[in-house]
Structures are given as structure tokens and as C-alpha cells.
Amino acid sequence: MDPEVTVETPDSEDVVAIQKTTRIPSGDEVETLLDELQEKDPKKRRQAIWKLAQTADSRAMESLVDLMIDTDSQERSLILEALSQISTRTLKPMNHALTLSLQDKNPQVRKNAIRDLTRIHDLMSQIYQLLCHSIEDSDREVQETAKWAINQLNTQIPPRLDMVTGENPPEVTVEEPYSDFME
């Protein structure tokens, strides 16, 4: 039992017994899991990676990326899945915020949202370029997966240059997504 501290009140002769407080452990699950990423036992590390994916806490991203350097291919795949889950859950609220901002009555807020969307587009353009290089990968399945991903990106964001240039929209042909490996 915690020791008690006796406090005398100045206005009376009453004595109040107060329990001495102890430090409450932080209990921050993410911090604990981040520590577990340093475990020597691969099973414990993999379990920590999986749990971090479930928490979807963006604080884990840097540590997970850093861990990729010194792990085997199974752990790297698990880390990529965790990063993907965390990013997806993080991007949903960001998408919502940008959508609201584009509809804001203040034009400065709308302009800032457009600026921020271009930053995201720049990142996606870099990823798109990496996918284009993957079409030339030595592994046929990697090539086909890259083609599928590029097709997905192309069909999800149809070109609308006509809005900017005032020209008629170009003919767009949509290929069927590659699905052999998806089944």
C-alpha cells in the first residue's frame, strides 16, 4: 500500500491524510512496440510490425522504414504492408480535410488546399516513374504487376487537360486491368 502524507490545513486543526502518488507508467502501446522492433527474435519483431500496422499510428513510419535496411525479405514485405496500412488510414482524414478545404468559403483556404494537393501529386509522380522503371524488371511477374498498377493509376485519374487548355478532351482508351495474379 502507498504511504500516506499528512497535510494540516491552515484554517483549522483538521488533518487530512493524502495518499502519496506514484508515477503511472506511460502505457503507450506504440512506444512499446517501437522498442520491440529492436528485438533479436524475428518472431517478436514480426509481431511488433504487425501490431504497429493495426495501430495505424504514423509515429511508427520512420522506425519501420529504418528497420527495412537490416531485415530479411519476409520482414521487408511485412513492413511494406504495415506502412501501406498506416498510410492509407492517415490519408483518409487528410483527403477529408482537403475536400472540406476545397469547399471552404475563404479563397485563401481553397488556394492552400490546391497547393497541398500539388505536393501530393508530386509524390505520386515520383512513384509513377518508379513503376515505369519496374516494367523493365528482370522478373516477369514484377513487370506485369507494374503494368497493372500503372493501368490502375491511369484509369482512376482520367486526364482532363481540356479543362486547362480549353481544347476538346482527347480520346481515352481504357485497358482491362491485369488480373491473373489477383485471383
Side-chain angles (χ1 to χ4, degrees):
M1 183 164 174
D2 290 332
E4 290 185 351
V5 175
T6 305
V7 177
E8 239 179 88
T9 58
D11 296 336
S12 69
E13 297 176 14
D14 295 338
V15 175
V16 180
I18 301 175
Q19 281 192 348
K20 188 173 181 178
T21 58
T22 57
R23 224 180 208 335
I24 299 172
S26 71
D28 188 352
E29 181 185 11
V30 172
E31 291 296 326
T32 302
L33 292 170
L34 290 173
D35 290 341
E36 289 176 12
L37 292 177
Q38 305 309 314
E39 286 284 337
K40 297 286 185 211
D41 180 5
K43 185 177 179 181
K44 288 181 181 179
R45 265 194 325 270
R46 290 181 184 128
Q47 187 174 23
I49 294 166
W50 183 84
K51 286 180 180 178
L52 283 167
Q54 304 310 303
T55 66
D57 192 312
S58 61
R59 292 178 294 169
M61 293 185 82
E62 186 176 351
S63 296
L64 288 169
V65 171
D66 291 345
L67 185 62
M68 288 184 76
I69 297 168
D70 299 321
T71 59
D72 61 25
S73 60
Q74 184 180 3
E75 280 187 21
R76 283 193 302 274
S77 290
L78 189 59
I79 290 169
L80 283 173
E81 174 62 26
L83 290 169
S84 176
Q85 285 188 37
I86 293 167
S87 297
T88 300
R89 292 182 189 157
T90 303
L91 286 175
K92 283 181 182 180
M94 180 183 233
N95 183 39
H96 184 67
L98 286 168
T99 301
L100 291 174
S101 297
L102 285 169
Q103 299 169 6
D104 197 277
K105 57 185 165 187
N106 183 320
Q108 188 63 41
V109 173
R110 295 192 307 271
K111 287 183 345 186
N112 289 340
I114 292 167
R115 180 205 58 217
D116 295 341
L117 282 167
T118 60
R119 289 178 180 162
I120 294 169
H121 181 269
D122 288 344
L123 291 172
M124 291 306 298
S125 295
Q126 292 172 13
I127 292 169
Y128 189 85
Q129 291 301 315
L130 292 171
L131 286 172
C132 289
H133 289 294
S134 296
I135 291 175
E136 299 171 7
D137 193 274
S138 59
D139 186 279
R140 185 179 179 284
E141 288 185 28
V142 171
Q143 293 173 8
E144 294 301 320
T145 304
K147 289 176 186 175
W148 172 83
I150 289 170
N151 189 50
Q152 289 296 108
L153 290 172
N154 286 338
T155 58
Q156 290 178 9
I157 305 173
R160 290 298 313 265
L161 293 177
D162 60 306
M163 292 173 62
V164 177
T165 63
E167 299 173 4
N168 291 332
E171 280 294 314
V172 178
T173 57
V174 178
E175 297 175 22
E176 286 298 314
Y178 182 79
S179 61
D180 287 351
F181 63 90
M182 300 298 286
E183 297 172 357

